[in-house]
């Protein structure tokens, strides 16, 4: 398999893990045991793909989020509310980082070239 294909596959697996975890965290009837069980299963699925070196700021933050999620599944409080709030906040910041490239404000749109037509 080519490096580019392997990199794309790895990025897709990371984002799939992130999306699944986020959907579990946002459930109204959040169940700690179900979250831990499914997160561990998703992590096993993620480990099937070989890791690739990532240089993007977003992707390194994504890996940090996954590591923090796995740490919280092993070391957590009895209610899991603090961990859940922290993970939701980090996920929100991660989504902002991803969308940061898409929404760039034009600073000087009045001063653009106008040829008079």
């Amino acid at each position: 398999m080519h490096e580019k294909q392997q990199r794309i596959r790895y990025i897709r697996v990371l984002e799939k893990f992130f999306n699944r975890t986020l959907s579990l965290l946002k459930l109204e009837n959040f169940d700690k045991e179900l979250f831990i069980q499914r997160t561990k299963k998703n992590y096993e699925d993620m480990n099937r793909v070989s890791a690739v070196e990532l240089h993007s700021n977003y992707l390194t933050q994504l890996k940090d989020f996954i590591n923090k999620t796995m740490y919280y599944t092993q070391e957590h409080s009895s209610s899991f509310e603090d961990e859940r709030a922290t993970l939701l906040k980090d996920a929100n910041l991660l989504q902002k980082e991803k969308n940061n490239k898409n929404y760039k404000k034009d600073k000087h749109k009045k001063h653009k070239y106008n040829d008079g037509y």
Side-chain angles (χ1 to χ4, degrees):
M1 185 181 310
H2 297 297
E3 283 183 39
K4 190 171 186 178
Q5 289 175 332
Q6 193 171 10
R7 178 179 165 79
I8 290 171
R9 178 176 285 171
Y10 185 61
I11 290 171
R12 285 184 181 156
V13 167
L14 289 177
E15 288 184 335
K16 185 187 269 187
F17 179 90
F18 172 73
N19 290 331
R20 287 177 175 173
T21 304
L22 188 58
S23 66
L24 284 171
L25 286 169
K26 287 184 175 181
L27 288 176
E28 283 184 29
N29 52 353
F30 178 76
D31 183 18
K32 176 179 73 170
E33 298 304 321
L34 178 68
F35 174 76
I36 292 172
Q37 176 188 5
R38 287 203 180 155
T39 303
K40 287 182 180 179
K41 182 188 176 299
N42 293 337
Y43 190 71
E44 290 171 6
D45 293 343
M46 189 184 84
N47 284 333
R48 291 183 188 154
V49 177
S50 59
V52 177
E53 189 68 30
L54 302 173
H55 303 289
S56 164
N57 193 18
Y58 163 71
L59 295 173
T60 53
Q61 287 178 359
L62 184 60
K63 283 180 70 175
D64 291 342
F65 175 82
I66 292 170
N67 291 335
K68 186 184 283 189
T69 304
M70 292 313 297
Y71 173 75
Y72 282 159
T73 57
Q74 295 166 0
E75 307 289 327
H76 54 81
S77 63
S78 59
S79 66
F80 205 78
E81 285 301 314
D82 295 335
E83 290 86 351
R84 181 180 178 204
T86 304
L87 287 174
L88 283 171
K89 181 182 177 195
D90 289 347
N92 187 24
L93 292 173
L94 197 57
Q95 287 175 329
K96 281 184 181 179
E97 178 68 32
K98 182 179 181 181
N99 292 332
N100 195 17
K101 299 174 203 164
N102 297 343
Y103 303 107
K104 198 161 195 166
K105 182 180 174 186
D106 248 353
K107 286 186 175 180
H108 307 286
K109 58 182 166 182
K110 291 182 183 177
H111 301 287
K112 284 196 173 190
Y113 179 72
N114 185 5
D115 61 356
Y117 291 108

